[in-house]
Amino acid sequence: MQFFQKMMLAICCFLILTATQAMASDEIGIRSAVLPDHPKRIVVLEFLFAESLAALDLTPVGMVDPDRYREWIGYDNARFSNVIDIGTRQQPSLEAIARLKPDLIVGVTFRHAALFDAFERIAPTVLFNFNATDIKVNQLDHALKVFDVFAKLAGRSAAGKKVEQNLEISLAADRARLTAAGLSGKRLAVLQELGLQDMYWAYATNSMAGGIAQVLGLSLWPNWPTKEGTTFVSSEDLLKQKELHVLMISATGPEVGLAQKLHSPIWRYVPARIAGHVALVPRNIWGFGGPMSAAKLSRQLTDAMLAAGRGDGALNR
């Protein structure tokens, strides 16, 4: 009898392990052995999943940083107007989460791995890998894989496929706009203002912007991947770049124009600036989100690229 019980226990353990391994992937870093089939009370610890739930027509019972979500993401803000604030992405409140009695907690490994055991004592938990383990995989492709897995966990696979199809249509439309303008194959750099003179983040080929540039038929500079998907560049680095369009994501509101941002002596000699191939991208664009953020980023990069291609950024020297 004991042998039979041990055998059944071994079989059960094998089945659980097999199920876990079946779900384990480059997208999922840590997860509970058993997850609900159709969770109804989901808590999300990262904007990516709040945005993804909205795209799947689901509303979480709790989310982190709702005010920042409204400011930086802004997708379907009305849906989140009554969602409970459970702290920040860096420091979610365990007490606030427990009070909500969730049936699923969703976060990311790089922020929340140390809290996994505490989360799991409240509810089944899954932590996704925010970045692909292979540095050559761009963030657009990885985010779509994460979204696909997340949609399955939420019981909304069909809705998820529709969201992905809509993104493909949106990206194809942006690519067609650039092709029609004769900009296909052009080189571009996507810079993020840091509030430092002549110093910027440049999105690398494995970033979300890099993935979008590839789909749009553009050639991104710097043309190499980095661990974080970004690298520091200076205005001086741009002096050496010929035939480059520069799209600068603003850190300020529209009250500070392009001319004020390019006032340093170095910018006067940057080829892109001389040709007028510099354009601003409005702030509050999220380069680390899901399908909806990707569609918004593609649209804004396309608009800016068209402006830069027309030479709208030409300044008087």
Side-chain angles (χ1 to χ4, degrees):
M1 184 64 182
Q2 284 185 341
F3 173 78
F4 178 75
Q5 289 176 330
K6 288 180 180 179
M7 184 177 69
M8 290 303 296
L9 178 61
I11 291 173
C12 289
C13 289
F14 172 78
L15 292 174
I16 291 173
L17 179 61
T18 301
T20 302
Q21 289 175 335
M23 290 296 295
S25 62
D26 190 42
E27 293 76 42
I28 293 179
I30 313 171
R31 51 155 289 176
S32 299
V34 179
L35 300 174
D37 289 335
H38 297 283
K40 303 296 183 186
R41 299 182 62 79
I42 303 176
V43 163
V44 289
L45 308 177
E46 182 60 46
F47 295 153
L48 166 63
F49 306 113
E51 171 196 321
S52 296
L53 280 181
L56 297 169
D57 195 25
L58 294 172
T59 305
V61 294
M63 66 183 292
V64 289
D65 288 322
D67 291 339
R68 285 192 174 275
Y69 178 92
R70 281 188 283 274
E71 178 183 4
W72 287 99
I73 311 297
Y75 176 68
D76 201 356
N77 276 341
R79 176 182 297 274
F80 300 102
S81 59
N82 295 316
V83 175
I84 302 299
D85 183 346
I86 54 169
T88 68
R89 289 178 296 160
Q90 292 80 10
Q91 293 184 314
S93 167
L94 296 175
E95 294 78 8
I97 295 172
R99 281 195 295 271
L100 293 174
K101 301 185 184 306
D103 55 12
L104 182 64
I105 300 172
V106 184
V108 289
T109 50
F110 87 95
R111 291 191 201 279
H112 308 122
L115 293 172
F116 177 79
D117 290 343
F119 291 146
E120 201 176 30
R121 285 193 287 272
I122 299 172
T125 300
V126 57
L127 302 183
F128 285 85
N129 293 321
F130 194 72
N131 298 108
T133 53
D134 182 352
I135 196 173
K136 296 178 182 177
V137 176
N138 68 63
Q139 187 63 16
L140 174 63
D141 290 341
H142 181 68
L144 290 177
K145 291 179 180 177
V146 167
F147 176 78
D148 189 61
V149 174
F150 182 62
K152 291 175 182 173
L153 288 177
R156 294 296 182 103
S157 292
K161 294 299 182 187
K162 183 65 177 176
V163 171
E164 293 173 32
Q165 290 169 3
N166 288 339
L167 174 61
E168 290 177 6
I169 292 170
S170 178
L171 294 174
D174 289 336
R175 181 182 177 116
R177 293 168 63 201
L178 293 169
T179 300
L183 294 172
S184 181
K186 296 293 185 182
R187 299 175 68 233
L188 85 160
V190 181
L191 307 183
Q192 172 64 59
E193 270 197 309
L194 300 174
L196 305 171
Q197 182 166 318
D198 292 315
M199 185 60 70
Y200 311 90
W201 266 359
Y203 287 94
T205 52
N206 59 329
S207 66
M208 175 72 79
I212 289 173
Q214 182 178 341
V215 174
L216 296 181
L218 301 170
S219 178
L220 190 74
W221 176 88
N223 60 348
W224 57 84
T226 66
K227 181 179 179 181
E228 305 296 337
T230 58
T231 187
F232 287 102
V233 300
S234 67
S235 304
E236 190 172 351
D237 295 324
L238 299 174
L239 291 172
K240 309 166 191 171
Q241 299 303 317
K242 311 295 184 185
E243 302 296 329
L244 183 71
H245 295 69
V246 177
L247 311 185
M248 184 181 297
I249 299 176
S250 180
T252 66
E255 70 279 2
V256 182
L258 182 62
Q260 291 172 270
K261 296 176 183 293
L262 306 184
H263 72 280
S264 79
I266 297 175
W267 269 105
R268 292 173 60 86
Y269 301 98
V270 171
R273 186 269 199 193
I274 294 171
H277 292 167
V278 183
L280 278 180
V281 178
R283 65 178 175 179
N284 298 1
I285 186 73
W286 191 245
F288 308 95
M292 311 316 294
S293 288
K296 181 179 179 182
L297 179 59
S298 174
R299 184 170 60 254
Q300 296 205 351
L301 291 183
T302 299
D303 290 344
M305 189 67 186
L306 291 171
R310 291 191 299 265
D312 290 1
L315 304 172
N316 295 324
R317 294 185 61 185

